[in-house]
Amino acid sequence: NERMLIELQRAMYYLGDGHSYVLPFGANVAPIRFLPLHFYEFSDGLFVIDASPPYEHLVGLKVKKIGLVTTQKLMQDMVHFISQDNTMGAKWIGPFFLRFRGLSEAYGLPQNATDIDIVFENQTGKTVKQK
């Protein structure tokens, strides 16, 4: 399933080669589901930088939690999920991997879930929740 692809990627981290990786988008061994959001980690947190319809209203919001896990914890853990030559690799590619349902399954999302709760913070500091 999708989670196996992410777990294979995590195992490949231990090869110590930034050019060895598994890209879930390219795999055709399992149907791949991902969030309709694109993230980027800035110095002040993880933000939505692009979104598919009907989620465009989330662009510009800071992401606080995906499921039950804070984005701070998720990005710290990306260091052990992403094959890298230096720490910038996890910061650059980590937000891409946060989109995959298989990764959320590794943090407790039920297998084949069709939605996940995400907590955002808007520009005024107000908490916004979206399924």
Side-chain angles (χ1 to χ4, degrees):
N1 64 23
E2 294 172 86
R3 181 170 174 191
M4 185 54 65
L5 294 172
I6 294 298
E7 297 297 349
L8 282 170
Q9 173 56 49
R10 184 180 352 206
M12 293 186 80
Y13 159 79
Y14 292 100
L15 292 174
D17 176 15
H19 302 283
S20 297
Y21 49 84
V22 174
L23 289 177
F25 271 132
N28 57 11
V29 297
I32 304 302
R33 302 289 184 263
F34 54 93
L35 294 170
L37 308 172
H38 296 266
F39 306 119
Y40 187 84
E41 186 179 37
F42 294 93
S43 61
D44 55 342
L46 188 77
F47 287 82
V48 178
I49 59 167
D50 196 11
S52 300
Y55 302 103
E56 299 98 328
H57 65 283
L58 300 172
V59 173
L61 297 184
K62 185 175 188 176
V63 186
K64 302 297 283 182
K65 281 185 172 182
I66 299 175
L68 299 175
V69 187
T70 66
T71 53
Q72 181 180 9
K73 165 80 170 134
L74 290 167
M75 286 304 293
Q76 286 172 350
D77 290 357
M78 284 301 102
V79 172
H80 299 289
F81 272 98
I82 306 298
S83 303
Q84 55 194 298
D85 291 325
N86 57 57
T87 57
M88 190 61 192
K91 183 176 179 167
W92 178 57
I93 300 171
F96 175 76
F97 275 81
L98 293 181
R99 300 181 61 211
F100 293 103
R101 179 172 64 187
L103 182 74
S104 292
E105 287 178 2
Y107 287 90
L109 184 69
Q111 186 176 348
N112 298 320
T114 57
D115 57 44
I116 188 169
D117 292 322
I118 302 179
V119 177
F120 302 92
E121 181 180 295
N122 69 15
Q123 292 79 3
T124 64
K126 182 180 176 190
T127 298
V128 178
K129 294 181 182 179
Q130 176 75 50
K131 189 169 282 292

